[in-house]
Amino acid sequence: MWVWLQGRVIKVLTALKLKGIPYESFEEDLSNKSPLLLQCNPVHKKIPVLIHGGKSICESMVILEYMEETWPQIPLMPDDPYERARARFWVKFVEDKGVAVWIMFHSSGEEQEKAVKDSLEMLKTIEEHALGKKRFFCGDKISLVDIAYGWIAQWLAVLEEVAGIKLMEPQKFPRLHTWIKNFKDEPIIKENLPGHDEMLVYFKPLGGRAPSR
């Protein structure tokens, strides 16, 4: 199982590297879940799981917030309380609305049409309200918001190709396209993003099953 292609795993690996936190990773066969995974995440039985000080933390965005509080030396959130609140708003926005893209990928007919409409509305909102003239969502450096939106930078194009539907037209979303270029040009991001062709091999056989962000 290519767990390293799952967006939620990449989020955590990216944050670990941006913060310079030493870590040891373990591959997990999701078709035959290990006793360690079942012990550390007995509720959802999913990856990723961060084990720190003998305690396990589950769910990618929860892990990222834990890391931000535990290792504040290299912050991935703004210092200003208002800007931090704004950052959390946009993280929650994509967590709530981004599901439409994945519904589009594994549906058909009217359900898919609605998912396409919802996906375009989400992208339009991000374009008009979340991205300003800054290089990244919160300024000139990558933040947890950028990491939360990272799947748009790499996974979305693959899902479009597999589903045969184009969402991200450059003329409609110029700010998003600029952000994607800036994001993917960052050295640590380049190191962590899986290749387009590898992702196609992973996603094409999924068919009606929803992949993981």
Side-chain angles (χ1 to χ4, degrees), residues 108-152:
S108 59
E110 292 183 2
E111 184 182 13
Q112 188 178 66
E113 289 176 8
K114 182 180 185 303
V116 170
K117 180 182 176 183
D118 292 343
S119 298
L120 288 170
E121 287 180 359
M122 175 195 70
L123 295 172
K124 184 173 183 287
T125 300
I126 297 167
E127 175 76 18
E128 294 179 354
H129 300 287
L131 288 168
K133 297 180 180 180
K134 302 181 294 292
R135 182 173 174 81
F136 299 108
F137 278 89
C138 295
D140 293 329
K141 295 181 180 179
I142 289 177
S143 68
L144 292 190
V145 186
D146 299 283
I147 294 173
Y149 282 75
W151 64 270
I152 291 178

Side-chain angles (χ1 to χ4, degrees), residues 40 48-52 55-59 62-64 66:
C40 292
V49 176
L50 176 70
I51 303 173
H52 179 233
K55 298 176 181 179
S56 56
I57 301 95
C58 308
E59 299 296 318
V62 175
I63 292 172
L64 296 190
Y66 175 86

Side-chain angles (χ1 to χ4, degrees), residues 1-126:
M1 299 295 291
W2 294 359
V3 296
W4 54 275
L5 284 175
Q6 295 193 5
R8 59 188 181 218
V9 175
I10 300 296
K11 289 176 188 177
V12 175
L13 292 175
T14 299
L16 285 167
K17 292 184 178 181
L18 285 170
K19 282 183 164 290
I21 301 169
Y23 66 92
E24 183 180 1
S25 61
F26 299 90
E27 287 287 337
E28 182 67 35
D29 182 357
L30 297 182
S31 65
N32 183 26
K33 296 177 182 179
S34 68
L36 180 61
L37 175 60
L38 299 178
Q39 175 188 340
C40 292
N41 191 357
V43 177
H44 297 302
K45 304 176 179 64
K46 294 180 179 180
I47 55 172
V49 176
L50 176 70
I51 303 173
H52 179 233
K55 298 176 181 179
S56 56
I57 301 95
C58 308
E59 299 296 318
S60 60
M61 292 312 301
V62 175
I63 292 172
L64 296 190
E65 291 198 15
Y66 175 86
M67 290 166 55
E68 186 69 4
E69 294 173 0
T70 306
W71 295 282
Q73 296 85 351
I74 301 178
L76 296 177
M77 286 285 274
D79 292 330
D80 181 74
Y82 170 76
E83 293 299 329
R84 289 175 75 90
R86 184 176 180 275
R88 290 191 180 100
F89 173 88
W90 287 112
V91 168
K92 188 175 189 311
F93 178 83
V94 78
E95 290 286 298
D96 291 344
K97 302 295 185 180
V99 66
V101 174
W102 306 88
I103 293 174
M104 176 199 77
F105 172 77
H106 69 87
S107 63
S108 59
E110 292 183 2
E111 184 182 13
Q112 188 178 66
E113 289 176 8
K114 182 180 185 303
V116 170
K117 180 182 176 183
D118 292 343
S119 298
L120 288 170
E121 287 180 359
M122 175 195 70
L123 295 172
K124 184 173 183 287
T125 300
I126 297 167

Side-chain angles (χ1 to χ4, degrees), residues 168-185:
M168 280 287 290
E169 299 288 353
Q171 66 273 19
K172 290 184 180 179
F173 306 108
R175 288 177 177 172
L176 262 171
H177 272 269
T178 298
W179 169 79
I180 287 172
K181 183 181 184 304
N182 292 337
F183 184 74
K184 293 172 73 172
D185 281 347

Side-chain angles (χ1 to χ4, degrees), residues 149-205:
Y149 282 75
W151 64 270
I152 291 178
Q154 187 75 345
W155 279 255
L156 181 55
V158 175
L159 298 181
E160 288 177 325
E161 185 171 341
V162 174
I165 298 170
K166 186 66 176 174
L167 298 175
M168 280 287 290
E169 299 288 353
Q171 66 273 19
K172 290 184 180 179
F173 306 108
R175 288 177 177 172
L176 262 171
H177 272 269
T178 298
W179 169 79
I180 287 172
K181 183 181 184 304
N182 292 337
F183 184 74
K184 293 172 73 172
D185 281 347
E186 287 292 302
I188 286 180
I189 302 302
K190 280 184 179 180
E191 293 172 10
N192 281 286
L193 286 182
H196 184 88
D197 292 342
E198 293 167 308
M199 294 177 71
L200 278 177
V201 174
Y202 173 71
F203 281 110
K204 278 185 176 179

